[in-house]
Amino acid sequence: MRMLFLPLLMLPAALLGACTQTQADVERAQVREAGVQEKLAKELAGLVPGKPVSCINQFPQKQSSGYGATILYRASGNLVYRSDTVGGCEGIARGDVLVTQTPTGQLCRGDIARTFDQASRFPTGSCSFGAFVPYRKP
């Protein structure tokens, strides 16, 4: 009977070991995050942040792009809005499609967006928008 319970006692330890990150995994994630932050800094270089706003008009936005948990909306050559999201919309940095549903035609802080794989159309994540910070050329 003892021999039967020994493997069962070892199972949680084995599963826990399979779920832990190695130091190499942590370092790779840090390097990846540093690269994302570098690209974001390049995109916002030369622009000055303004006072955050709760909502922006959805339709005049010409382009959106993702940098980790941050989404940039380019309204014009002189104006970019930055929203730091909460959740899992990081997939837009690799090309996933960002889908929003707003009855007012505006994107607002707290609105939920979903991401979908372009090829398979399967959902890949969701997040909520933070405040929208306008960045303008001085």
Side-chain angles (χ1 to χ4, degrees):
M1 194 65 139
R2 272 184 172 210
M3 292 296 197
L4 180 63
F5 289 113
L6 187 57
L8 292 176
L9 291 175
M10 293 175 59
L11 183 62
L15 290 174
L16 182 61
C19 293
T20 60
Q21 286 185 328
T22 65
Q23 183 64 27
D25 291 338
V26 171
E27 289 172 4
R28 277 193 292 276
Q30 289 172 340
V31 167
R32 201 170 26 251
E33 180 63 23
V36 167
Q37 292 305 316
E38 185 178 322
K39 288 178 184 177
L40 179 60
K42 276 185 184 178
E43 192 70 30
L44 295 174
L47 301 175
V48 178
K51 184 179 177 182
V53 296
S54 293
C55 298
I56 61 172
N57 289 329
Q58 182 178 13
F59 299 110
Q61 310 313 320
K62 297 180 190 291
Q63 176 186 358
S64 64
S65 51
Y67 301 87
T70 300
I71 299 174
L72 297 183
Y73 287 95
R74 186 166 302 280
S76 68
N78 298 325
L79 176 61
V80 176
Y81 288 99
R82 172 186 178 158
S83 180
D84 294 320
T85 64
V86 177
C89 286
E90 292 84 3
I92 63 171
R94 68 173 179 262
D96 287 359
V97 176
L98 184 70
V99 177
T100 59
Q101 292 178 314
T102 60
T104 63
Q106 291 188 314
L107 298 176
C108 293
R109 179 182 49 183
D111 283 353
I112 295 175
R114 297 181 300 157
T115 58
F116 291 85
D117 180 80
Q118 279 189 359
S120 69
R121 306 288 192 241
F122 282 111
T124 57
S126 65
C127 61
S128 65
F129 292 111
F132 293 90
V133 180
Y135 282 75
R136 291 185 168 86
K137 287 189 178 178

